[in-house]
Amino acid sequence: MRTPLAPYLDKYVLCKGWIADWEDMPECSTRRVFVSQPTIKKANKNLLFKEQEVISTEHHLNLFIRYEDLTDYDAVFELNSPISFTGVIE
C-alpha cells in the first residue's frame, strides 16, 4: 500500500486524474484503466471537490471496472482525458 493512503484504509475517497492507458480483460469482463497523477481527497459532502482536503497525489492508480459498470462512468476513454471517480481505499 502507498504510505500516504495507509491511514485511510477502508475509507471512502474522491479522486480525479487523467486516463493514461487502458486494457480490456475479456476473461474477467473487466477493463483496467491506468489513471495518471490522481489526486485523492477526503470525502466531505458539505464541500465542493476543489475545497476538500487532499490526502495524496500519486504517480498512478489502476482502476478495475467491470464491463457492466462502464456506463456509470461519465468518461470518454481517450488518452489524457480527465476521469473522476470515487472508491474505498484497499
Side-chain angles (χ1 to χ4, degrees):
M1 169 170 288
R2 293 173 170 99
T3 305
L5 302 179
Y8 297 93
L9 185 64
D10 297 322
K11 300 292 183 194
Y12 184 73
V13 294
L14 307 176
C15 308
K16 186 173 186 178
W18 290 266
I19 297 174
D21 197 10
W22 66 90
E23 170 189 16
D24 285 328
M25 302 183 315
E27 65 278 1
C28 56
S29 300
T30 301
R31 178 175 289 171
R32 181 192 63 84
V33 181
F34 181 89
V35 180
S36 178
Q37 296 297 305
T39 298
I40 304 158
K41 295 190 175 192
K42 191 174 178 180
N44 181 336
K45 66 180 180 179
N46 298 314
L47 297 174
L48 296 172
F49 182 82
K50 66 181 181 179
E51 298 169 343
Q52 296 187 22
E53 178 185 341
V54 174
I55 296 171
S56 177
T57 297
E58 298 295 325
H59 179 268
H60 75 279
L61 290 176
N62 286 298
L63 298 180
F64 294 91
I65 308 169
R66 292 177 188 224
Y67 289 158
E68 64 194 47
D69 297 330
L70 284 172
T71 57
D72 293 341
Y73 287 78
D74 188 21
V76 176
F77 289 92
E78 294 179 348
L79 291 179
N80 300 316
S81 65
I83 186 169
S84 298
F85 54 97
T86 63
V88 176
I89 302 291
E90 290 186 354

